């Protein structure tokens, strides 16, 4: 399979989507009575998923069929206008800005579906079957989501996300066809790792925005150091695996990478938000523990699943490795739940966990 490189236009598009993700993450900063209300946790998830899926849809098209041609550039540039519409409509008051959000999402997905139909007229064999399948059946989910415009209150969201779920499951249902025309694994990993890298940068910026150690405030200084160690260790673990531990010649549908990164990206955003809120001391102790350790557990599980399938056999983790990591997290969480620990101690525990995780998985 011919090697595929990431284009500058793809990287430019990533910056817009990361801005959308950053806007979605701000929903987690709505604290009431020391807790993040369940309503806002759900809003974060419900805003995050369409952004991720719209980006993923175009990325998967580019991975299989993308070429640096004028008409494909114009498709992507047009999509950027719809991304901007989505970004401008992202708000905690979702009802007020629902129409522009829907226009942005449906516009993005429609352009991707149209690209498949354009390509299928030029392709042959399995490539033609795959492009026709995706270009045809994606319209089902898009149409269902569009129908939400005719509903109000919670019903419109039920219709919208029913369409999105149908859209997301179509590649899974068509896996037997997609496997015959596999993805470019190296390109797919590079696309997701670049998006993840930008999100790492956003996380650092978010954390630094509140970490302002002052003279004599050693707890603040130590918190800053531990936060930095956490981010660096996460970066080290993720990118060392992408660069040195995975077999990029594996051919498949890439669905483990695609759906696994939904959890990776969401957990990365929630970890950054939890560190910031922990430093500001805006959360109740028990809620803070569940929130940050839950986010870390999600990140650990997601990265383990994504990399396991693609790791070279000699680098795959054993069950005792996984058990050890879970035991460390469980021990830290249990101790903190029984004994009230200072925030700096909790950050030190997370720094230690991620350092061990990075060391063991990149040896």
């Amino acid at each position: 399979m011919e090697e595929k490189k990431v284009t500058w236009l793809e990287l430019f598009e990533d910056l817009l989507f990361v801005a959308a993700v950053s806007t979605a993450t701000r929903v987690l900063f709505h604290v009431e009575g020391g807790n993040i209300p369940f309503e806002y946790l759900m809003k974060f998830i419900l805003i995050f998923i369409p952004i991720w899926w719209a980006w993923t849809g175009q990325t998967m098209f580019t991975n299989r069929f993308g070429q640096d041609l004028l008409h494909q550039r114009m498709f992507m540039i047009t999509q950027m206008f719809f991304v901007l519409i989505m970004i401008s409509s992202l708000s905690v008051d979702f009802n007020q800005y629902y129409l522009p959000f829907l226009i942005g999402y449906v516009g993005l997905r429609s352009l991707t579906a149209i690209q498949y139909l354009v390509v299928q007229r030029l392709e042959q064999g399995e490539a033609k079957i795959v492009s026709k399948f995706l270009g045809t059946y994606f319209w089902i989910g898009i149409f269902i989501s569009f129908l939400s415009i005719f509903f109000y209150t919670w019903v419109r969201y039920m219709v919208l996300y029913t369409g999105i779920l149908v859209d997301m499951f179509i590649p899974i249902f068509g896996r037997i066809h997609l496997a015959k025309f596999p993805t470019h694994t190296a390109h797919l990993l590079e696309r997701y790792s670049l998006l993840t890298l930008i999100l790492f940068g956003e996380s650092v910026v978010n954390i630094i925005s509140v970490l302002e150690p002052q003279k004599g405030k050693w707890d603040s200084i130590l918190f800053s150091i531990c936060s930095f160690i956490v981010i660096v260790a996460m970066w080290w673990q993720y990118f060392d695996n992408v660069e040195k531990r995975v077999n990029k010649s594996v051919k498949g549908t890439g669905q483990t990478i695609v759906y696994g990164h939904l959890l990776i990206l969401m957990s990365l955003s929630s970890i950054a938000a939890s560190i910031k809120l922990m430093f500001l001391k805006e959360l109740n102790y028990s809620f803070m523990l569940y929130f940050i350790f839950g986010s870390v557990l999600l990140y650990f599980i997601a990265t383990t699943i994504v990399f396991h399938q693609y790791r070279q056999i000699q680098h795959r983790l054993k069950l005792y490795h996984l058990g050890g990591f879970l035991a460390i997290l469980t021990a830290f969480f249990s101790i903190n739940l029984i004994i009230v620990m200072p925030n700096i101690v909790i950050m030190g525990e997370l720094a230690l966990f991620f350092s061990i995780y990075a060391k063991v998985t990149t040896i």
Side-chain angles (χ1 to χ4, degrees), residues 43-184:
K43 281 184 177 181
F44 166 70
I45 295 172
L46 294 179
I47 292 174
F48 198 103
I49 289 177
I51 295 170
W52 161 81
W53 184 240
W55 181 89
T56 292
Q58 180 59 35
T59 295
M60 294 306 293
F61 169 82
T62 303
N63 182 269
R64 282 192 170 94
F65 302 103
Q67 300 181 54
D68 195 15
L69 302 174
L70 177 61
H71 74 277
Q72 291 197 7
R73 281 190 177 188
M74 295 310 298
F75 268 115
M76 289 189 68
I77 291 172
T78 305
Q79 283 184 319
M80 292 180 191
F81 286 103
F82 287 105
V83 176
L84 290 174
I85 293 173
M86 281 185 67
I87 294 174
S88 64
S89 62
L90 294 176
S91 170
V92 174
D93 186 5
F94 210 15
N95 283 321
Q96 184 178 353
Y97 300 96
Y98 184 78
L99 181 58
F101 176 85
L102 182 65
I103 292 173
Y105 174 76
V106 170
L108 281 165
R109 294 298 297 136
S110 297
L111 285 173
T112 301
I114 291 171
Q115 288 181 86
Y116 278 113
L117 294 179
V118 170
V119 164
Q120 68 92 20
R121 299 173 61 184
L122 307 174
E123 297 288 348
Q124 301 293 329
E126 297 298 338
K128 185 178 185 69
I129 293 173
V130 168
S131 56
K132 185 176 181 179
F133 174 83
L134 294 176
T136 301
Y137 288 101
F138 273 148
W139 286 105
I140 299 174
I142 295 170
F143 180 69
I144 293 173
S145 292
F146 174 76
L147 289 178
S148 66
I149 198 174
F150 299 109
F151 299 90
Y152 299 93
T153 66
W154 61 270
V155 178
R156 63 164 39 162
Y157 298 106
M158 288 292 293
V159 176
L160 170 67
Y161 287 98
T162 297
I164 294 174
L165 286 175
V166 169
D167 217 21
M168 290 171 58
F169 276 103
I170 282 172
I172 297 176
F173 293 146
R175 184 181 177 86
I176 188 172
H177 299 298
L178 271 58
K180 296 177 182 178
F181 187 59
T183 59
H184 294 76

Side-chain angles (χ1 to χ4, degrees), residues 21-61:
V21 170
S22 180
T23 303
T25 304
R26 292 194 198 110
V27 175
L28 295 174
F29 298 135
H30 287 79
V31 179
E32 296 179 6
N35 300 323
I36 302 174
F38 180 75
E39 172 192 357
Y40 291 106
L41 293 174
M42 289 304 301
K43 281 184 177 181
F44 166 70
I45 295 172
L46 294 179
I47 292 174
F48 198 103
I49 289 177
I51 295 170
W52 161 81
W53 184 240
W55 181 89
T56 292
Q58 180 59 35
T59 295
M60 294 306 293
F61 169 82

Side-chain angles (χ1 to χ4, degrees), residues 11 14 18 21 52 55 188-204 231 234-235 237-239 242 257 260-269 299 303 306-307:
L11 294 175
D14 288 354
V18 168
V21 170
W52 161 81
W55 181 89
L188 191 60
L189 283 169
E190 186 178 7
R191 291 295 292 118
Y192 273 102
S193 61
L194 287 171
L195 183 66
T196 304
L197 179 62
I198 301 174
L199 281 179
F200 267 116
E202 283 288 319
S203 300
V204 172
I231 297 298
M234 291 172 68
W235 167 84
Q237 188 276 333
Y238 181 94
F239 288 98
V242 169
I257 297 174
H261 268 86
L262 170 61
L263 302 180
I264 290 176
L265 298 175
M266 287 182 65
S267 60
L268 183 58
S269 292
Y299 181 86
T303 50
V306 168
F307 290 127

Side-chain angles (χ1 to χ4, degrees), residues 201-240:
E202 283 288 319
S203 300
V204 172
V205 170
N206 280 330
I207 294 171
I208 290 177
S209 66
V210 294
L211 299 184
E212 298 178 354
Q214 300 176 3
K215 184 177 180 180
K217 300 247 181 175
W218 286 104
D219 57 338
S220 179
I221 295 173
L222 290 174
F223 192 96
S224 302
I225 293 172
C226 290
S227 300
F228 181 71
I229 293 173
V230 167
I231 297 298
V232 169
M234 291 172 68
W235 167 84
W236 194 301
Q237 188 276 333
Y238 181 94
F239 288 98
D240 224 43

